[in-house]
Amino acid sequence: MLHYTTMRTSHTAFLVLFILSCLGTGYSGGGQNRFTSIISFGDSYTDTGNLVRWADPVLAPQPINNLPNGETFFGRPTGRASNGRIVLDFIADALGLPFVKPYLAKGKANFATGVNFAVAGAPALNLTYLQGQNMTVNPPIKSSLGDQLVWFEKLKPSLCKGQGAECFASTLFVMGEFGANDFRTFINSNRTVEQARAYVPTIVDSISRGVERLIQHGGKYIVVADIFPVGCLPMVLTLLASRDKADYDQHGCLRGVNRLVPQYQNSLLRQRIKVLRNKYPHTTIISAEYYGPLIAFLHKPGHFGLNGSTTLLTCCGAGGPPYNSNSSTFCGLPGVMACTEPSEALQWDGFHLTEAAYRLIADGWLHGPYADPHILHVAH
């Protein structure tokens, strides 16, 4: 299992690998690998277009369906919460597969090479449970991890078409991240960070049960992603701003938020992955990190080609320094412009990252050190 202290000693090797990949074949998927499809679950860090296809009158028009979202790579919005590609896109490309199609494109899509059930805003805990805890869920739609697994189970017969137990022998499953939207729900429901911490074991239970369901359906290779440092996101820094400088760490992140929620969740998740590996020795469970690389980018942004003066500044936002983040104005709404150099920016819209950051994270999952074992090692 990888630990953060180990991660920090591996940054130089990671940077060398990244530079070589850019100078050489990059993310070419030309080599042979075991994976012929990707099936993914998650929230806006993984969604490739499900939320913007959601047909529900309760759902307001989504700003992620407007420019400048998607402008860097696609030249148009695609439902991804970024200026371009996300981690899942880079993984698919490295495996020689097309971008993973959103499930709600089912009338127009062939899912032979994979399907994406992730929905922006999706929590780990389901709507009924959260509302039963007197939480305010936005948007109030059934898109949780459990709901996504139900979609998968409904689609499974058409994916497998009589292949039996070996149906998913060459499928890479990607689980998560999950938990960030649960945290957002708790904060929007006037819960304290300490109160939010009490729900973390339940969130980890939900993720663990989800992984077990995939294994029971024949999943052999499953990536399980941890939660990123939410206390480093501009929108959270704006909403939970403190006058006490001691509340911030060396990178300007909210120390207590990261310690009480993502660090705690990731610790429990690592323990649970260890249990699952022992219980299912014939399944390869890949532990992947968002937390480690984001902290690395904040620690030495220049080493990763990022602008060190803007690491906590929203690229596509409003309000100016220190975070250029405003909870009433969001990227994709009229008058909100993107920064001039998104390729050097870390933060895209206050909650999500830039294509440049997602590329770096994907490289760490594909080659190490931010996945254990790394994906390309398993693929080959």
Side-chain angles (χ1 to χ4, degrees):
M1 188 69 62
L2 294 175
H3 298 280
Y4 298 132
T5 52
T6 304
M7 296 304 157
R8 285 193 290 269
T9 63
S10 304
H11 293 160
T12 302
F14 171 39
L15 181 61
V16 170
L17 281 169
F18 175 69
I19 292 171
L20 289 174
S21 72
C22 291
L23 293 175
T25 58
Y27 288 90
S28 171
Q32 289 288 327
N33 75 83
R34 73 171 72 248
F35 299 119
T36 59
S37 68
I38 297 173
I39 296 177
S40 53
F41 306 82
D43 59 14
S44 52
Y45 272 53
T46 314
D47 189 356
T48 53
N50 279 316
L51 182 65
V52 298
R53 289 175 168 83
W54 197 282
D56 192 318
V58 76
L59 202 59
Q62 297 300 307
I64 60 171
N65 207 26
N66 301 326
L67 287 169
N69 292 291
E71 67 177 5
T72 297
F73 180 79
F74 300 99
R76 59 182 176 83
T78 63
R80 290 164 173 81
S82 183
N83 59 309
R85 291 161 290 183
I86 58 177
V87 171
L88 189 66
D89 297 319
F90 291 111
I91 291 172
D93 192 42
L95 296 177
L97 297 171
F99 293 155
V100 188
K101 298 178 179 68
Y103 169 69
L104 293 181
K106 54 190 175 184
K108 306 173 184 177
N110 180 342
F111 295 136
T113 58
V115 56
N116 187 6
F117 298 100
V119 183
L125 307 177
N126 67 45
L127 181 63
T128 302
Y129 175 84
L130 291 169
Q131 290 180 332
Q133 300 290 311
N134 296 315
M135 302 287 184
T136 301
V137 184
N138 183 28
I141 56 177
K142 293 184 176 180
S143 62
S144 71
L145 168 55
D147 297 309
Q148 294 176 31
L149 287 165
V150 170
W151 295 348
F152 162 69
E153 288 164 351
K154 288 180 178 177
L155 190 64
K156 181 182 174 182
S158 67
L159 294 174
C160 292
K161 296 178 181 176
Q163 295 178 57
E166 294 304 305
C167 175
F168 300 120
S170 61
T171 296
L172 180 68
F173 287 91
V174 180
M175 173 66 75
E177 70 92 38
F178 280 103
N181 287 304
D182 302 80
F183 176 74
R184 179 173 60 90
T185 294
F186 304 148
I187 298 303
N188 288 343
S189 303
N190 296 316
R191 302 304 199 275
T192 65
V193 176
E194 290 77 9
Q195 288 171 324
R197 184 183 190 273
Y199 290 91
V200 168
T202 309
I203 290 169
V204 174
D205 284 344
S206 177
I207 297 169
S208 178
R209 287 194 303 270
V211 173
E212 286 205 83
R213 279 171 73 173
L214 294 179
I215 294 170
Q216 289 158 6
H217 281 292
K220 302 294 185 186
Y221 305 94
I222 305 172
V223 177
V224 183
D226 74 2
I227 184 175
F228 46 86
V230 292
C232 301
L233 301 184
M235 195 66 76
V236 175
L237 287 163
T238 300
L239 291 172
L240 301 180
S242 172
R243 294 183 179 181
D244 188 348
K245 292 183 179 179
D247 289 338
Y248 297 88
D249 67 14
Q250 61 178 317
H251 307 303
C253 304
L254 284 164
R255 190 191 313 274
V257 171
N258 282 343
R259 177 174 53 83
L260 291 172
V261 180
Q263 288 182 9
Y264 179 44
Q265 178 173 321
N266 292 342
S267 175
L268 293 183
L269 187 61
R270 288 194 300 272
Q271 293 172 29
R272 193 63 59 86
I273 288 173
K274 184 176 180 180
V275 170
L276 291 171
R277 284 171 170 166
N278 289 333
K279 185 175 181 180
Y280 301 101
H282 301 297
T283 299
T284 299
I285 301 175
I286 300 170
S287 177
E289 293 189 52
Y290 280 109
Y291 195 103
L294 258 71
I295 294 299
F297 304 159
L298 290 167
H299 187 60
K300 292 186 177 180
H303 285 206
F304 299 99
L306 302 172
N307 185 338
S309 65
T310 66
T311 51
L312 298 180
L313 200 66
T314 300
C315 174
C316 184
Y323 307 117
N324 196 37
S325 181
N326 186 324
S327 59
S328 62
T329 304
F330 204 66
C331 185
L333 293 176
V336 182
M337 307 293 290
C339 61
T340 56
E341 296 293 343
S343 63
E344 298 177 3
L346 173 60
Q347 314 271 2
W348 173 239
D349 60 11
F351 282 115
H352 310 103
L353 308 179
T354 60
E355 179 184 88
Y358 286 132
R359 179 194 289 270
L360 287 162
I361 294 168
D363 193 78
W365 289 17
L366 289 162
H367 300 281
Y370 297 115
D372 174 26
H374 61 262
I375 292 173
L376 289 184
H377 174 78
V378 175
H380 298 292

